[in-house]
Amino acid sequence: MSIKSLIINPGSTSTKIGVFEDETLLFDKTLRHPTEEIAKYASIIDQKDFRKQIILDALKEDNCDIHSFDVIVGRGGLLKPIPGGTYPVSDALLADLVAGVQGQHASNLGGILAREIGDAIGKPSYIVDPVVVDELTDVARISGMPELPRRSIFHALNQKAVARRYAKEHGTTYDALNLIVIHMGGGVSVGAHCKGKVVDVNNILDGEGCFSPERAGTVPVGDLIKMCFSGKYTQKEIYKKICGNGGFNAYLHTNDAREVQKMVDEGNEYAKLIQDAFYYQIAKDAGAMAAVLHGKVDAIILTGGIAYSQLTVDKLTESIGWIAPITVYPGEDELLALAQGALRVMTGEEEPQTY
């Protein structure tokens, strides 16, 4: 018997929903929220009822009976660090999403809305592989300053989804492989997947590793300290330089890799230098992850929106193709990844995790 799921993926100014029958998408919608509408609410949690009603109205418009669902799945938010997997939205998990234990973010609403809608129809609710998935080894947590342990915050949902897809397409299991997965979007995360666990990865939220379209990545620390105490910037302004206005935004005033490519094609030498540095830094991080895996790498997977660029694939293949064969899964299908996570639990393929 097929399993019908409602998938909820809240963003800062939109909520994406998808309706699946097993892994088949029946329909999806992006429900846009005007800035002036969002501004009415003092906090993200205060948006809950507003977004819930919009979701219910959208389903009604498509003649989709809310009681026809077997499971409701929400995007996981900024919870406490947890291993990867599919988690029922328990009371403890719900409380931490509401409290925002690692910060307030629109994704926190995913699990909250899934639980409310699931409870209303008497069906289970789950989250899958939130950004706070933390499977780092103990040695990977050491930063050099005891007060500042390294943390794992990355594109866990898509990284694990494409790793599982690669395993399935090659007739094996995720926990039998060593993979380097490179997600390239507004942020870039480079993860070392060892037998089903992401044992090392750069923290994309706070600026670690290679720079990206919007993030500065690892910068010279001494000079950053001087900048922080120069009196020219507030804490908020410094953070925005690291996360939001860093990378391509800082150098070329765009966060669109296609615009950067256009500049390069038009002969902009500075843009070419920055683009080359982007590939250079990603390759360096991939080399580091190869060392983490002791050189035993079954494949390197390129994913995220920038993986649609053939030049990007060619440049990275030239730099790191010697490490392992390269597979490309461009873009990211978060709705499908969430549906698959719940499906694995509902069919008994995988045990649910406990928060």
Side-chain angles (χ1 to χ4, degrees), residues 296-310:
K296 297 173 182 175
V297 184
D298 294 297
I300 296 172
I301 300 173
L302 306 181
T303 186
I306 298 176
Y308 282 110
S309 160
Q310 189 57 48

Side-chain angles (χ1 to χ4, degrees), residues 18 45 108 140 147-148 151 153 158 161 171 182 201 218 246 251 255-256 283 291 327:
I45 298 302
N108 291 11
E147 302 92 338
L148 302 176
R151 296 190 300 151
I153 299 180
N158 190 49
I182 303 172
V201 66
T218 301
Y251 288 106
N255 64 353
D256 190 332
T327 294

Side-chain angles (χ1 to χ4, degrees), residues 111-329:
I112 295 169
L113 291 167
R115 172 69 184 266
E116 282 208 5
I117 294 172
D119 284 356
I121 62 172
K123 295 296 166 66
S125 54
Y126 295 100
I127 64 163
V128 182
D129 289 329
V131 293
V132 292
V133 163
D134 186 341
E135 298 166 338
L136 299 187
T137 59
D138 289 342
V139 71
R141 296 183 193 281
I142 305 301
S143 69
M145 287 182 68
E147 302 92 338
L148 302 176
R150 293 185 65 241
R151 296 190 300 151
S152 173
I153 299 180
F154 70 110
H155 305 96
L157 182 64
N158 190 49
Q159 283 222 14
K160 283 185 168 280
V162 296
R164 290 188 181 99
R165 176 180 170 183
Y166 177 87
K168 187 175 181 180
E169 289 180 1
H170 288 79
T172 185
T173 58
Y174 176 39
D175 59 9
L177 295 170
N178 283 352
L179 303 167
I180 296 171
V181 182
I182 303 172
H183 177 111
M184 297 173 288
V188 175
S189 57
V190 183
H193 296 237
C194 180
K195 312 301 182 191
K197 294 189 182 299
V198 185
V199 295
D200 203 344
V201 66
N202 56 305
N203 177 341
I204 60 159
L205 183 65
D206 292 337
E208 184 183 53
C210 49
F211 74 78
S212 72
E214 297 180 346
R215 294 171 175 85
T218 301
V219 297
V221 178
D223 292 333
L224 177 63
I225 292 169
K226 292 173 186 174
M227 180 181 281
C228 290
F229 287 91
S230 68
K232 295 179 182 178
Y233 308 98
T234 64
Q235 179 179 329
K236 188 175 180 181
E237 287 168 340
I238 291 286
Y239 193 80
K240 193 68 176 175
K241 279 181 169 291
I242 291 169
C243 187
N245 288 341
F248 285 165
N249 259 341
Y251 288 106
L252 301 171
H253 311 297
T254 179
N255 64 353
D256 190 332
R258 293 167 298 185
E259 285 296 316
V260 174
Q261 185 60 56
K262 186 179 177 184
M263 293 178 197
V264 173
D265 291 343
E266 291 171 351
N268 186 323
E269 289 297 323
Y270 184 64
K272 185 178 186 306
L273 173 65
I274 302 307
Q275 186 187 62
D276 286 346
F278 175 66
Y279 299 139
Y280 177 87
Q281 290 197 6
I282 292 172
K284 273 176 62 176
D285 281 6
M289 293 309 168
V292 167
L293 296 171
H294 302 285
K296 297 173 182 175
V297 184
D298 294 297
I300 296 172
I301 300 173
L302 306 181
T303 186
I306 298 176
Y308 282 110
S309 160
Q310 189 57 48
L311 176 67
T312 298
V313 173
D314 292 345
K315 288 284 189 179
L316 291 177
T317 300
E318 183 183 322
S319 297
I320 58 178
W322 56 272
I323 296 172
I326 290 179
T327 294
V328 185
Y329 297 133

